[in-house]
């Protein structure tokens, strides 16, 4: 992009934001800056011009976000889902005697009453209260931090345990339909759009030999053995806000991918992402190892946060969640590699292949230690603290 094009784009964005702020009826909020490290939406912090604002000031600050239309075909449905869940959580936190303005998201409707504003370019924007005195982390440098994020996501399950999921839109259809993801992978191999299938017979075989695992959770849903509940679907550490002073987890954020699903999806995705010491695109596979100890501390945190809301089968499904979601992610990365890197951002050829290899290596570790993974959940289930857990 030429420098003048960039300036023009920036000015357009400023105008766009000014228009959106006015549609939200937020006079005096002139200070706008990009905020956070999210990969999906564009996030801005709005503060008052008078200087009283900011995380420590008196006037409330706001988070304004433009929802990614490439990922979400119907961003207005995303905004509706977020509103439904936030309102429910707000009340649940009040019922627990907590502070709903810090422990849940507060969504602000636009002047027309909708939970979003559609600007002149068709972009959808939503506005939430900035949670004061909070911070998020990009990586879990200690097991305690990882466990604390587990506690937050487990408590999210607890607070939403009676939520009726029939009112939630499926904003990304078949998001965790692993058999469908597998089907699409086979189609990608056959089509071989980027001419890469011939280079990766070993990885294709690694996926194929696990094809029967893909349906383990979906079959249990279809058979009525697992109940669909609210799933967050993006249970990474940086989607938990922590209290700056106490260091305790405060609030689960980034509710865009909230959909009907399973607790096993959320638990599994956290394990896939966090129970190791490598980057998601690590090229040196010797560094990649599933860490059972991190799995254990996360499980303890998650189940401490959730209380005893899960029966025996649901508890076992958590360990399966780790395997199925890791396999699914390997499938997704490899499919994207075969299709020519269209979905995930990549800055070099082979990144999606490296990511897929990492998932396969983690998966192998989980398969080897699956007995222990189930055993850890069973030990927690029988422990007195879990049996007696109540809020
Ligand atoms: P993305 O979907 O792009 O990941 P997020 O909703 O996670 O976007 O927001 C990006 C970052 O902005 C978060 O990691 C967090 O640091 C910060 N953030 C988002 N919402 C709030 C909020 N209500 N209060 C304080 N910080 C927030
Ligand atoms: C995407 O953008 P990010 O990192 O929050 C993806 C997740 C994947 C993850 C893998 C909407 O999330 O499902 O697990 O990449 N989000 C969507 O890194 O597809
Ligand atoms: Mg996020």
């Amino acid at each position: 992009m030429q420098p003048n094009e960039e300036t023009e784009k920036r000015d357009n964005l400023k105008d766009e934001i000014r228009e959106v702020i006015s549609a939200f009826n937020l006079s005096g909020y002139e200070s706008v800056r990009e905020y956070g490290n999210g990969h999906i939406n564009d996030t801005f912090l709005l503060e008052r011009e008078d200087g009283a604002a900011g995380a420590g000031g008196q006037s409330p600050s706001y988070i304004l976000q433009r929802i990614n239309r490439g990922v979400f075909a119907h961003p207005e449905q995303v905004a509706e889902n977020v509103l439904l869940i936030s309102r429910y959580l707000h009340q649940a936190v009040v019922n627990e005697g907590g502070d709903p303005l810090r422990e849940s998201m507060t969504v602000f409707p636009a002047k027309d009453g909708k939970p979003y504003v559609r600007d002149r370019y068709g972009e959808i924007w939503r506005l939430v209260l900035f949670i004061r005195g909070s911070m998020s982390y990009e990586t879990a440098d200690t097991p305690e931090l990882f466990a604390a994020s587990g506690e937050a996501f487990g408590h999210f399950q607890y607070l939403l345990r009676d939520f009726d999921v029939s009112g939630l839109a499926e904003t990304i259809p078949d998001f965790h339909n692993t058999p469908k993801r597998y089907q699409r992978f086979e189609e990608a191999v056959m089509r071989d759009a980027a001419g890469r299938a011939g280079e990766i017979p070993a990885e294709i075989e690694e996926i194929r030999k696990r094809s029967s695992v893909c349906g383990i959770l979906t079959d249990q849903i279809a058979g009525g053995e697992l109940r669909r509940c609210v799933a967050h679907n993006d249970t990474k550490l940086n989607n938990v806000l922590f209290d700056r002073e106490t260091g305790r987890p405060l609030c689960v954020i980034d509710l865009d991918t909230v959909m009907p699903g399973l607790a096993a999806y959320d638990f599994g995705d956290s394990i896939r992402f966090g129970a190791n010491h490598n980057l998601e695109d690590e090229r040196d596979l010797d560094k990649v190892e599933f860490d059972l100890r991190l799995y254990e501390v996360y499980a303890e945190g998650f189940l401490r946060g959730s209380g005893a809301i899960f029966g025996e089968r649901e508890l076992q499904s958590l360990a399966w969640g780790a395997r199925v979601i890791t396999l699914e992610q390997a499938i997704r990365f490899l499919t994207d590699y075969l299709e020519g890197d269209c979905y995930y951002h990549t800055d070099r050829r082979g990144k999606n292949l490296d990511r897929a290899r990492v998932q396969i290596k983690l998966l192998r570790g989980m398969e080897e230690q699956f007995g222990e993974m189930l055993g850890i959940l069973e030990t927690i289930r029988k422990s007195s603290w879990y049996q007696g857990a109540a809020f």
Side-chain angles (χ1 to χ4, degrees), residues 18 48 69 88 90 94 140 151 177 182 199 378 382:
R18 211 168 292 133
R48 280 190 80 90
R69 282 199 290 169
Y88 190 94
H90 200 273
V94 169
E151 202 177 323
N177 187 334
Y182 178 75
E199 298 166 13
E378 188 56 10
K382 288 189 179 145

Side-chain angles (χ1 to χ4, degrees), residues 54-329:
Q58 288 311 303
S59 314
S61 301
Y62 296 92
I63 291 280
L64 179 68
Q65 285 175 312
R66 180 168 55 184
I67 303 176
N68 186 323
R69 282 199 290 169
V71 171
F72 300 102
H74 302 287
E76 65 291 342
Q77 287 185 350
V78 174
E80 300 279 1
N81 272 3
V82 172
L83 179 70
L84 269 180
I85 293 288
S86 310
R87 282 207 178 137
Y88 190 94
L89 286 173
H90 200 273
Q91 192 53 50
V93 168
V94 169
N95 295 346
E96 281 194 330
D99 176 355
L101 298 182
R102 299 191 77 223
E103 294 167 41
S104 68
M105 300 276 270
T106 309
V107 177
F108 284 86
K111 277 182 192 163
D112 63 6
K114 295 206 175 104
Y116 58 86
V117 163
R118 188 188 302 271
D119 73 12
R120 70 179 105 147
Y121 305 105
E123 300 285 353
I124 298 285
W125 297 75
R126 50 97 186 288
L127 184 75
V128 296
L129 185 69
F130 178 85
I131 297 178
R132 287 175 182 284
S134 66
M135 62 182 295
S136 59
Y137 297 88
E138 291 304 316
T139 52
D141 295 331
T142 63
E144 290 74 23
L145 191 57
F146 190 43
S149 75
E151 202 177 323
F153 288 120
H155 202 56
F156 183 81
Q157 286 293 332
Y158 172 78
L159 294 174
L160 290 162
R161 67 198 179 283
D162 294 325
F163 186 91
D164 177 7
V165 292
S166 63
L168 282 182
E170 214 173 311
T171 47
I172 305 180
D174 293 319
F175 191 60
H176 281 315
N177 187 334
T178 318
K180 270 211 174 153
R181 298 269 189 193
Y182 178 75
Q183 220 176 313
R184 201 170 139 199
F185 160 77
E186 285 291 3
E187 284 159 18
V189 175
M190 211 139 71
R191 211 171 302 124
D192 195 16
R196 296 172 174 177
E199 298 166 13
I200 52 164
E203 287 75 11
I204 292 174
E205 186 48 33
E206 290 285 348
I207 302 292
R208 282 187 174 151
K209 69 182 185 207
R210 293 174 172 88
S211 61
S212 64
V213 175
C214 293
I216 282 184
L217 293 176
T218 43
D219 286 353
Q220 290 186 59
I221 297 175
E225 294 149 48
L226 289 176
R227 192 179 57 93
R228 295 221 304 168
C229 62
V230 178
H232 180 281
N233 288 320
D234 193 3
T235 48
K236 279 186 296 205
L237 181 67
N238 66 4
N239 285 330
V240 177
L241 294 182
F242 289 80
D243 189 307
R244 264 183 200 280
E245 293 215 330
T246 64
R248 297 278 306 143
L250 202 52
C251 180
V252 168
I253 60 165
D254 204 348
L255 305 178
D256 302 328
T257 45
V258 165
M259 281 179 263
L262 295 175
Y265 297 155
D266 281 358
F267 181 87
D269 201 26
S270 287
I271 296 301
R272 174 195 80 69
F273 190 79
N276 57 66
H277 302 273
N278 52 271
L279 296 172
E280 208 175 36
D281 56 355
E282 178 60 61
R283 296 164 96 164
D284 179 358
L285 288 180
D286 287 340
K287 289 189 187 153
V288 178
E289 215 65 67
F290 167 62
D291 184 335
L292 188 66
R293 173 72 194 131
L294 284 180
Y295 167 88
E296 183 172 22
V297 297
Y298 187 91
E300 285 169 0
F302 190 84
L303 294 172
R304 188 164 281 116
S306 71
I309 62 170
F310 302 119
E312 196 173 343
R313 185 177 282 278
E314 252 179 322
L315 268 182
Q316 284 182 356
S317 79
L318 300 182
W320 277 109
R323 269 176 74 174
V324 172
I325 295 297
T326 307
L327 173 60
E328 181 185 285
Q329 195 62 61

